C-alpha cells in the first residue's frame, strides 16, 4: 500500500473513535443541563485533558511550531505566559467558580452565572455576554476550520475547502449528537494523542538529526539569533507575548470545565494533571521547531509553509501508519477546540439570548433540540468565514483570545473575589473590554503594536471597579451566596446545608430578580419555587 493509504487508514480509525464517543454520549444526554454541562460529573483527569485540548487547538501543533521555526525562541514567551496563566486559572478560578455557579441558581453558562450572581433584573448583562461569546467564537471556530483545511492541504494535497468541510462535518456531528459529554471525552482522548505526538516527533527527530548537540549546532548554523530568547525583543513585544496568559481567566470554553467538575476540591488534582500535560506539550512544540530548522535549514524549497513543520516531520520520521496517527494529533487539536467552542456558542445562543428574550422555560426535549440546531447554524456561519481565509491561524486565534480575555477575564475575577461588583459595573467593563480589543487590534504602529488583550483587560478592570463603586447597594441574597461559595470552596461537605441556607435567604428577600428557571431542585428531588 502507498504511504497515503496507510495514513488514510489511521485517519479513518481516529474518526470512527470520535464518532463512537459521540454516539455513546448521546445515550447519556437527556436534558439541557446534561447537554451543556454533563451533569457536573467530570473527573479531574477528563476535566484537565479536556481543558488543555480545547485550549490549545491547531495553534499548538501548527501555529506555535511554525512561529518558533520562523522566528526562533522569542516566540516561546507566549508559551511561558500561557503556562503561568493556566496555573493561576486552575488555582484561583476553578474551585471557587465550581462552588459559586452551583450555589447561584445552578448556573450552567458564564453569562447565566453573571446574571444570577449580580441579580441583574434587566438581564442586559446576560444578553450582552451571550452576544460577545457568539461574536468572538465565530472567529475562533473559523480559525479552527482554517487550520483543518490547511492541514489536509499540506498533508495530503487535498483541496483546502474540501479538507475544511471534512473537519467541520465530523466535529459538528459528534458535538451535535453528544453535547458536553461527547466534547469532554473526545477532548480527553485527543489531549492524550496530542501529548504523545509532541513527545514522539521531537524525540525521534532529535535522533534523526544526530542528537541534541548536533541539532543545536545546525540551528546555530542557520542563524545564531534563532536560539536567543530575546532576539529583537522590545518592551512592547515582550509584554505582548507574555500577556497571552491573561486570556485564560475569560475563556468560556475553558472555564466551563471548571463548572463541570464533581466538586471544588478536585480542581487541585486537575491542575496538576493539566499543567503537567501543558509543560510536555509546549516543550514538545519548541523541540519540534528546532528539529525542523535543523532538518530543513529554512529552505523554502523543502518547507515553504512554517506552520506545516510538524506535518512534514511526522511524515518523514515514521512508518505511514504511525505517521497517520501523528497527523491525527493535529486533527485532535483542531477538532477538540472547535467542538468546545461550538457547544459554548450554542449554550450562549439558547440559554442566554433566546430563553432570556422569550422569557420561557423549555422542556428537556425542546432545549436539547434547539441546542443542536444552534450548533449546526453557528458551524455554517463560521465555515462561511473560513472559505477564504485572510489571516494566519495564529492571527485569528490571537484576536479571539484577546476578545474573550479582555471581555470576561476581569469580570470573572471580580465576580468571584469582590463583594461590591455590580451588574452595571460588569456590563460597562465587559463592553469597554470588547470594544477596546476590536479597535486596538485593527490599528498598527507605535503603542498599538501592544497586544490588544493588555489595554482591553486593564480598561475593563478599571471601568468595572469605578462603575461598581458608584452603583453598589448591599443585597442580602448576593452577600449570602458569596459567603456560601467561599465556605464551600474550603469545605464541600457542607453543601446540602449551605444550599438550604441560600434558599431560605432567597425566599425571605425577594428583589425583583427572576432567574432562568422558576424552580430549584432540592437534594431529595423535590422542586422549590423561587420568588418572582
Amino acid at each position: 500500500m502507498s504511504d497515503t493509504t496507510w495514513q488514510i487508514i489511521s485517519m479513518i480509525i481516529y474518526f470512527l473513535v470520535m464518532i463512537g464517543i459521540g454516539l455513546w454520549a448521546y445515550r447519556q444526554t437527556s436534558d439541557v443541563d446534561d447537554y451543556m454541562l454533563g451533569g457536573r460529573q467530570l473527573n479531574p483527569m477528563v476535566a484537565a485533558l479536556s481543558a488543555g485540548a480545547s485550549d490549545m487547538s491547531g495553534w499548538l501543533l501548527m501555529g506555535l511550531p511554525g512561529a518558533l521555526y520562523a522566528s526562533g525562541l522569542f516566540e516561546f514567551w507566549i508559551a511561558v505566559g500561557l503556562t503561568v496563566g493556566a496555573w493561576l486559572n486552575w488555582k484561583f478560578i476553578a474551585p471557587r467558580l465550581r462552588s459559586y455557579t452551583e450555589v447561584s441558581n445552578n448556573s450552567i453558562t458564564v453569562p447565566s452565572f453573571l446574571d444570577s450572581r449580580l441579580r441583574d433584573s434587566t438581564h442586559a448583562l446576560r444578553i450582552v455576554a451571550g452576544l460577545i461569546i457568539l461574536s468572538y467564537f465565530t472567529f475562533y471556530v473559523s480559525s479552527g476550520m482554517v487550520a483543518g483545511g490547511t492541514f489536509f492541504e499540506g498533508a495530503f494535497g487535498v483541496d483546502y475547502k474540501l479538507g475544511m468541510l471534512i473537519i467541520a462535518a465530523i466535529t459538528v456531528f459528534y458535538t451535535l449528537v453528544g453535547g458536553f459529554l461527547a466534547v469532554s471525552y473526545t477532548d480527553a482522548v485527543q489531549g492524550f494523542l496530542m501529548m504523545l505526538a509532541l513527545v514522539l516527533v521531537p524525540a525521534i527527530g532529535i535522533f534523526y538529526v544526530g542528537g541534541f548537540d548536533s541539532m543545536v549546532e545546525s540551528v546555530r548554523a542557520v542563524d545564531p539569533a534563532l536560539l536567543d530568547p530575546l532576539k529583537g525583543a522590545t518592551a512592547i513585544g515582550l509584554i505582548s507575548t507574555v500577556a497571552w496568559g491573561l486570556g485564560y481567566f475569560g475563556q468560556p470554553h475553558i472555564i466551563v470545565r471548571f463548572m463541570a467538575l464533581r466538586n471544588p476540591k478536585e480542581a487541585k488534582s486537575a491542575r496538576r494533571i493539566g499543567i503537567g500535560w501543558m509543560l510536555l506539550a509546549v516543550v514538545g512544540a519548541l523541540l519540534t521547531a528546532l528539529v525542523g530548522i535543523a532538518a530543513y535549514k529554512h529552505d523554502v524549497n523543502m518547507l515553504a509553509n512554517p506552520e506545516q513543520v510538524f506535518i512534514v516531520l511526522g511524515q518523514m520520521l515514521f512508518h505511514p501508519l504511525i505517521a497517520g496517527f501523528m497527523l491525527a494529533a493535529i486533527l485532535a487539536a483542531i477538532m477538540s477546540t472547535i467542538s468546545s467552542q461550538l457547544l459554548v456558542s450554542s449554550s450562549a445562543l439558547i440559554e442566554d439570548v433566546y430563553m432570556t428574550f422569550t422569557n420561557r422555560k423549555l422542556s428537556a426535549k425542546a432545549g436539547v433540540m434547539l441546542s443542536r440546531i444552534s450548533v449546526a447554524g453557528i458551524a455554517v456561519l463560521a465555515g462561511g468565514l473560513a472559505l477564504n481565509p485572510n489571516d494566519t491561524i495564529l492571527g485569528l486565534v490571537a484576536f479571539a483570545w484577546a476578545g474573550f480575555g479582555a471581555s470576561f477575564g476581569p469580570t470573572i475575577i471580580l465576580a468571584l473575589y469582590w463583594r461590591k461588583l455590580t451588574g452595571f459595573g460588569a456590563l460597562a467593563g465587559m463592553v469597554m473590554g470588547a470594544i477596546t480589543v476590536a479597535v486596538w487590534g485593527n490599528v498598527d504602529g507605535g503603542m498599538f503594536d501592544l497586544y490588544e488583550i493588555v489595554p482591553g483587560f486593564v480598561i475593563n478592570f478599571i471601568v468595572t471597579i469605578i462603575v461598581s463603586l458608584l452603583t453598589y447597594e448591599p443585597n442580602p441574597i448576593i452577600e449570602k451566596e458569596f459567603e456560601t461559595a467561599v465556605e464551600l470552596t474550603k469545605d464541600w461537605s457542607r453543601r446540602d446545608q449551605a444550599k438550604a441556607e441560600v434558599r431560605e435567604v432567597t425566599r425571605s428577600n425577594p428583589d425583583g430578580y427572576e432567574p432562568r428557571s422558576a424552580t430549584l431542585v432540592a437534594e431529595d428531588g423535590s422542586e422549590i419555587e423561587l420568588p418572582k
Side-chain angles (χ1 to χ4, degrees), residues 478-496:
I478 293 176
E479 289 292 327
K480 184 59 181 176
E481 286 186 352
F482 190 96
E483 293 168 3
T484 303
V486 174
E487 289 177 19
L488 292 187
T489 303
K490 298 175 181 176
D491 183 9
W492 186 244
S493 65
R494 290 194 64 251
R495 176 191 180 200
D496 295 351

Side-chain angles (χ1 to χ4, degrees), residues 247-261:
Y248 272 106
F249 306 113
Q251 303 299 319
H253 61 301
I254 296 174
I255 62 178
V256 74
R257 265 67 183 177
F258 305 162
M259 297 158 63
L261 283 166

Side-chain angles (χ1 to χ4, degrees), residues 338-490:
I338 292 176
S339 61
S340 297
Q341 292 162 351
L342 283 174
L343 194 63
V344 173
S345 300
S346 171
S347 67
L349 181 59
I350 300 303
E351 281 278 313
D352 303 316
V353 178
Y354 174 80
M355 288 178 65
T356 303
F357 272 122
T358 60
N359 194 29
R360 57 184 293 195
K361 184 178 179 181
L362 296 172
S363 68
K365 184 176 181 181
V368 173
M369 180 188 70
L370 284 177
S371 298
R372 287 172 173 153
I373 291 173
S374 65
V375 165
I378 293 164
V380 170
L381 179 60
L385 292 175
L387 285 175
N388 296 293
N390 55 11
D391 203 349
T392 64
I393 297 168
L394 188 60
L396 287 168
V397 170
F399 181 70
W401 184 266
F404 283 123
S407 300
F408 293 116
T411 310
I412 292 294
I413 294 170
L414 292 171
L416 297 177
Y417 284 94
W418 191 42
R419 295 171 183 266
K420 293 185 177 181
L421 177 67
T422 67
F424 289 113
L427 181 60
M430 279 198 315
V431 170
M432 288 304 299
I435 291 174
T436 301
V437 167
V439 173
W440 197 285
N442 286 286
V443 181
D444 296 321
M447 66 177 182
F448 291 102
D449 288 337
L450 180 67
Y451 185 24
E452 53 266 29
I453 196 173
V454 177
F457 197 95
V458 171
I459 289 173
N460 183 340
F461 226 110
I462 293 172
V463 169
T464 301
I465 290 175
I466 292 174
V467 176
S468 292
L469 289 174
L470 292 174
T471 57
Y472 174 74
E473 293 181 3
N475 182 306
I477 300 176
I478 293 176
E479 289 292 327
K480 184 59 181 176
E481 286 186 352
F482 190 96
E483 293 168 3
T484 303
V486 174
E487 289 177 19
L488 292 187
T489 303
K490 298 175 181 176

Side-chain angles (χ1 to χ4, degrees), residues 55-71:
D55 161 21
M56 287 303 185
S57 74
W59 172 85
L60 179 62
L61 288 94
M62 297 177 71
L64 180 58
L68 288 163
Y69 177 92
S71 304

Side-chain angles (χ1 to χ4, degrees), residues 170-326:
I170 295 175
T171 307
V172 169
F173 173 79
Y174 73 71
T175 305
L176 185 148
V177 168
F180 187 83
L181 281 178
V183 169
S184 296
Y185 279 88
T186 53
D187 281 357
V189 173
Q190 290 161 337
F192 178 78
L193 186 59
M194 291 159 62
M195 181 185 69
L196 185 63
L198 283 168
V199 169
L200 290 178
V201 167
I204 303 301
I206 290 172
F207 176 79
Y208 173 82
V209 298
F212 186 85
D213 291 341
S214 177
M215 176 187 72
V216 172
E217 288 303 317
S218 296
V219 173
R220 186 174 285 115
V222 173
D223 183 357
L226 291 171
L227 295 173
D228 182 358
L230 296 177
K231 181 201 79 168
T234 63
I236 287 179
L238 190 58
I239 292 171
S240 295
T241 52
V242 175
W244 276 70
L246 290 174
Y248 272 106
F249 306 113
Q251 303 299 319
H253 61 301
I254 296 174
I255 62 178
V256 74
R257 265 67 183 177
F258 305 162
M259 297 158 63
L261 283 166
R262 290 182 299 208
N263 63 68
K265 291 191 176 300
E266 291 191 340
K268 184 175 183 179
S269 299
R271 181 180 77 241
R272 291 171 174 171
I273 296 168
I275 298 303
W277 177 91
M278 194 171 184
L279 288 171
L280 284 173
V282 296
V283 170
L286 167 64
L287 293 175
T288 296
L290 295 180
V291 169
I293 296 171
Y296 298 111
K297 316 292 185 187
H298 277 185
D299 187 336
V300 295
N301 293 317
M302 291 191 286
L303 182 63
N305 183 354
E307 289 189 335
Q308 294 180 357
V309 63
F310 180 88
I311 296 174
V312 295
L313 283 175
Q315 291 175 320
M316 178 182 72
L317 295 172
F318 296 95
H319 181 278
L321 183 65
I322 305 301
F325 286 110
M326 296 297 104

